[in-house]
Amino acid sequence: MTAWNGPDAAERQEALRALLARPLLTRTHRPYELALVRRHDTALRTWCETQLGWRLHVDRDHARLYKIPAPGPRHPADAPTGRQAALYCMTLAALDDCDEQTVITELAQRITVSTTAEPAVRTFDATQYRDRADLVAAIRLLCHQRVLTPEERAENAAYERDYLAGTGNALYQVHHATARLLLASPTAPSQAPGPDALLDADTPHTPDAAQDHLRHRLLRRLVDDPVLYLDDLTADEHTYYMQHHRDLITTVENALDTRVETRAEGAAVIDDTLTDLPFPHGSTRPYAALALADALWHEEAAHPRRRAIPHTRALELSQTIADHLLHAVKNINNRPVTAATVLDEAQHYLARLRLIDVLPTGIRLLPALARYRSTTAPARLDAEQGLLYGIAPSTADKDPHDH
């Protein structure tokens, strides 16, 4: 089954889009999307399992799509740091023994005990600022996932800052049912010899199973990665894609009511809403990223034989962007606007979208970046564009910052 027909098709497309964009839906936060998923539970469960190899759990209060990423290049920005990820898992484990409410110091104490008993994990030390900051980052991610809810949302940010400073506390409501749905690894952590084994799936034992496995991996990339580049595929994946790419693309377009753009280099879903990182988008950081994308493309066109644009040249291009932004804003992502800040924030954004690779020798442009170039002069920075992004010069006196 590659597509849905009949009067329920539109609702199933909408429900599947919601699941792919937000793999955990809750009744308190996404009631409409959850109701759609529950209404079409059986059809969605079958599609996700047969086309993607992903399991879908649905109950009265939750819908959880257990997304397993396809093997392939990952940008460090796609995930927290290793330390934050470890503390995230330790916090999740600590919540299992907490009551309906907890405070950050209680979590810190529990994590200190558990990390002391686990030789493979560095012991958590609440007296160290770096450890406190990493714990707060893990807790904020759990709040974003609705596992924790700040009891006093307005004040909690201040309490977290106080905790970072070494004083203060923060109170959270614990949603145990949601917490138990978070782990998505096909191999149980207690049975995995190491982090890399968490994503190990069963090895296909028959030719048909091997073909299904290849299909799952390619469809996962199409629906979950910003771009599917043929150069990133294994030999088996490349062969399967070349033989079945029309069917793969039709499957995605019909199931999601979207468009897949195909080029010689690969394919990508082109959809303004089916993304967790909108681009272009109405705030300062993606605006700077768009301007840098344009400038990098024209720089590459002027020097086509270079393998990468040197960081020093990219910094010069970023200075032009920074000079323009300073007419309107003082900060980008809570950092003062400078050439270095613009370059760091913009290249971080572009790398997550698989539009560039940041190498030790410079910035390597990837084919999909060409979608965002201008056909005239580079870095077209003007007041009209700024208005589209909410950063017109008239806002300069408000000292805004990007969130």
Side-chain angles (χ1 to χ4, degrees):
M1 180 180 64
T2 60
W4 294 302
N5 299 305
D8 292 335
E11 282 195 349
R12 291 174 180 177
Q13 289 168 341
E14 186 177 2
L16 184 57
R17 289 169 65 91
L19 283 169
L20 290 173
R22 298 176 182 84
L24 178 59
L25 303 174
T26 64
R27 186 162 59 95
T28 55
H29 185 60
R30 294 281 174 180
Y32 172 73
E33 290 91 339
L34 177 61
L36 278 181
V37 172
R38 293 186 63 198
R39 191 177 307 152
H40 302 285
D41 178 6
T42 302
L44 293 168
R45 193 192 309 269
T46 301
W47 194 92
C48 290
E49 182 176 336
T50 58
Q51 301 298 336
L52 300 170
W54 288 344
R55 181 168 63 92
L56 174 62
H57 166 88
V58 181
D59 60 38
R60 186 191 68 173
D61 298 320
H62 306 88
R64 175 67 164 113
L65 180 61
Y66 289 96
K67 295 169 67 172
I68 309 300
R74 291 281 177 256
H75 189 266
D78 287 346
T81 66
R83 179 60 169 171
Q84 290 170 353
L87 289 176
Y88 172 91
C89 293
M90 302 300 283
T91 304
L92 200 56
L95 289 174
D96 199 43
D97 294 324
C98 291
D99 294 328
E100 297 304 311
Q101 289 185 329
T102 189
V103 291
I104 196 169
T105 52
E106 178 189 5
L107 292 173
Q109 291 168 357
R110 291 181 182 275
I111 292 169
T112 299
V113 172
S114 58
T115 54
T116 302
E118 178 52 67
V121 180
R122 178 164 58 86
T123 300
F124 178 81
D125 185 355
T127 67
Q128 299 296 314
Y129 175 84
R130 183 68 263 170
D131 274 8
R132 295 197 303 273
D134 286 338
L135 176 58
V136 168
I139 288 175
R140 286 175 178 170
L141 181 55
L142 288 167
C143 289
H144 175 73
Q145 294 167 332
R146 299 326 192 259
V147 172
L148 297 174
T149 301
E151 282 298 296
E152 298 291 342
R153 190 174 299 275
E155 289 82 1
N156 242 46
Y159 294 152
E160 288 175 353
R161 289 194 295 269
D162 290 342
Y163 176 76
L164 285 174
T167 60
N169 220 335
L171 178 65
Y172 304 93
Q173 185 77 22
V174 182
H175 305 285
H176 291 285
T178 305
R180 296 187 185 103
L181 295 173
L182 281 192
L183 288 182
S185 57
T187 301
S190 60
Q191 298 176 7
D196 292 340
L198 289 172
L199 297 182
D200 285 349
D202 292 336
T203 303
H205 296 293
T206 67
D208 287 345
Q211 292 291 293
D212 289 343
H213 191 56
L214 285 171
R215 181 181 180 83
H216 291 164
R217 284 156 60 177
L218 290 167
L219 283 172
R220 288 175 186 179
R221 285 196 171 189
L222 280 171
V223 303
D224 215 31
D225 290 356
V227 186
L228 182 154
Y229 287 116
L230 298 186
D231 287 347
D232 292 337
L233 302 182
T234 65
D236 287 345
E237 290 171 342
H238 189 278
T239 299
Y240 187 96
Y241 179 85
M242 297 307 294
Q243 293 174 345
H244 302 281
H245 67 278
R246 293 184 186 278
D247 176 55
L248 294 169
I249 290 166
T250 300
T251 295
V252 172
E253 289 183 333
N254 289 345
L256 297 176
D257 186 27
T258 192
R259 179 172 70 90
V260 178
E261 183 176 281
T262 59
R263 299 193 178 192
E265 301 87 0
V269 171
I270 307 301
D271 197 303
D272 291 337
T273 60
L274 191 61
T275 178
D276 55 0
L277 191 66
F279 184 72
H281 186 57
S283 60
T284 308
R285 186 163 32 165
Y287 176 78
L290 182 63
L292 182 63
D294 187 53
L296 290 173
W297 188 88
H298 282 276
E299 180 71 16
E300 177 80 359
H303 303 86
R305 296 187 178 181
R306 282 195 309 206
R307 299 191 64 182
I309 296 173
H311 292 299
T312 52
R313 179 54 182 156
L315 190 63
E316 292 173 358
L317 298 172
S318 299
Q319 183 64 63
T320 301
I321 300 169
D323 291 342
H324 170 78
L325 287 175
L326 281 169
H327 290 295
V329 298
K330 302 301 181 186
N331 298 292
I332 177 171
N333 199 26
N334 293 317
R335 300 169 64 187
V337 171
T338 64
T341 302
V342 167
L343 177 60
D344 183 49
E345 293 290 342
Q347 72 180 8
H348 172 94
Y349 210 91
L350 296 175
R352 288 188 65 187
L353 290 163
R354 296 287 291 141
L355 300 178
I356 63 170
D357 276 336
V358 181
L359 309 174
T361 56
I363 296 176
R364 181 169 70 96
L365 275 57
L366 298 177
L369 186 78
R371 293 194 84 252
Y372 301 99
R373 72 189 188 279
S374 72
T375 56
T376 55
R380 298 165 299 138
L381 301 170
D382 53 45
E384 184 177 354
Q385 268 197 320
L387 278 170
L388 293 175
Y389 281 75
I391 55 171
S394 60
T395 65
D397 58 340
K398 297 181 182 178
D399 192 22
H401 59 264
D402 179 67
H403 292 285

